[in-house]
């Protein structure tokens, strides 16, 4: 895969070492959609393409499964060699959402919900409710980063995304996020969404969705 050494700009994002298939208009569409969804103007960000698998692996500590990641400290996105023109929008949108969550919400979005939120706004895959309904699931608040040791990334992603979809079904998710600017999102679950037992409510939602999919 040939790379260009030029820097390419798409709105607030500078892309480095972009492959030949990269389309800045496609990137701008993703940026506009995620910014609009989360109601935030992204601060200056760098997105770096890694064509070499070994180089990409050395740049992070998440293991072999990760395709891309967002570095919140440096406000950068790192896209591995498995990112293609076909999956770019979903992968880039997911990582972009992580950066906006860090910039806008600080610590207001709990860790157990962040991956699901990034999937939800980034349109990164769908929940397999029939599969998820048959899995042994940890309490949702115990979810940590999906690529930390001992975790099952697929279960984490789907359970966290299901939690977001459940919240969106129970209350206005956009309004819930707006309330969470500068405050803890969890403090509004009972008062705004009527959810006092998060795991119980999520289990009921999963059972309903699992039956519907089967």
């Amino acid at each position: 895969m040939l790379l260009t050494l030029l820097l390419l700009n798409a709105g607030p994002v500078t892309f480095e070492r972009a492959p030949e298939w990269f389309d800045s208009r496609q990137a701008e569409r993703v940026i506009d959609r995620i910014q609009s969804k989360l109601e935030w103007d992204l601060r200056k960000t760098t997105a770096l393409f890694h064509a070499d698998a070994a180089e990409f692996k050395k740049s992070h500590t998440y293991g072999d499964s990760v395709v891309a990641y967002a570095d919140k400290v440096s406000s950068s996105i790192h896209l591995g060699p498995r990112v293609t023109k076909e999956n770019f929008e979903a992968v880039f949108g997911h990582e972009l959402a992580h950066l906006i969550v860090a910039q806008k919400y600080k610590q207001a979005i709990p860790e157990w919900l962040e991956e699901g939120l990034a999937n939800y706004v980034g349109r990164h895959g769908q929940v397999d409710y029939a599969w998820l309904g048959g899995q042994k699931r940890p309490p949702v608040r115990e979810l940590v980063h999906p690529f930390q040791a001992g975790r099952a990334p697929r279960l984490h992603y789907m359970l966290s995304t299901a939690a977001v979809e459940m919240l969106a079904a129970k209350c206005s998710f956009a309004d819930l996020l707006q309330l969470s600017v500068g405050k803890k999102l969890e403090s509004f679950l009972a008062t705004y969404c009527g959810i006092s037992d998060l795991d119980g409510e999520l289990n009921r939602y999963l059972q309903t969705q699992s039956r519907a999919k089967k």
Side-chain angles (χ1 to χ4, degrees), residues 24-42:
S24 60
R25 292 169 299 180
Q26 181 187 28
E28 287 174 353
R29 287 196 299 269
V30 178
I31 294 167
D32 289 345
R33 176 167 56 81
I34 302 299
Q35 287 187 140
S36 176
K37 193 77 175 177
L38 293 175
E39 300 181 344
W40 183 257
D41 291 332
L42 186 71

Side-chain angles (χ1 to χ4, degrees), residues 14-26:
T14 298
F15 290 87
E16 297 185 10
R17 302 190 300 187
E20 289 186 337
W21 55 257
F22 176 77
D23 183 347
S24 60
R25 292 169 299 180
Q26 181 187 28

Side-chain angles (χ1 to χ4, degrees), residues 20 30 55 75 102 104 129 145:
E20 289 186 337
V30 178
E55 178 213 0
S75 191
K104 181 177 181 179
Y129 281 103
H145 195 285

Side-chain angles (χ1 to χ4, degrees), residues 34-41 43 72 96-111 113-114 117-118 121 172-186 188:
I34 302 299
Q35 287 187 140
S36 176
K37 193 77 175 177
L38 293 175
E39 300 181 344
W40 183 257
D41 291 332
R43 296 170 191 155
K72 297 177 182 178
L96 202 62
H98 276 303
L99 290 187
I100 290 181
V101 165
Q103 291 178 8
K104 181 177 181 179
Y105 297 100
K106 305 298 189 290
Q107 303 300 316
I109 305 298
E111 189 174 21
L113 193 65
E114 185 175 337
L117 175 60
V121 300
S172 169
F173 195 59
D175 290 346
L176 179 62
L177 290 177
Q178 190 62 40
L179 289 169
S180 302
V181 178
K183 300 178 182 179
K184 293 290 185 181
L185 178 145
E186 288 196 65
F188 296 101

Side-chain angles (χ1 to χ4, degrees), residues 16-105:
E16 297 185 10
R17 302 190 300 187
E20 289 186 337
W21 55 257
F22 176 77
D23 183 347
S24 60
R25 292 169 299 180
Q26 181 187 28
E28 287 174 353
R29 287 196 299 269
V30 178
I31 294 167
D32 289 345
R33 176 167 56 81
I34 302 299
Q35 287 187 140
S36 176
K37 193 77 175 177
L38 293 175
E39 300 181 344
W40 183 257
D41 291 332
L42 186 71
R43 296 170 191 155
K44 199 174 181 82
T45 298
T46 299
L48 175 63
F49 283 91
H50 298 263
D52 183 75
E55 178 213 0
F56 179 61
K57 186 175 181 179
K58 287 181 180 178
S59 73
H60 63 80
T61 59
Y62 301 126
D64 296 330
S65 299
V66 69
V67 174
Y69 67 94
D71 185 334
K72 297 177 182 178
V73 175
S74 63
S75 191
S76 62
I77 293 172
H78 296 258
L79 304 162
R82 285 181 286 168
V83 176
T84 66
K85 184 176 180 61
E86 289 67 35
N87 67 13
F88 170 77
E89 290 196 18
V91 173
F92 177 59
H94 176 96
E95 302 306 336
L96 202 62
H98 276 303
L99 290 187
I100 290 181
V101 165
Q103 291 178 8
K104 181 177 181 179
Y105 297 100

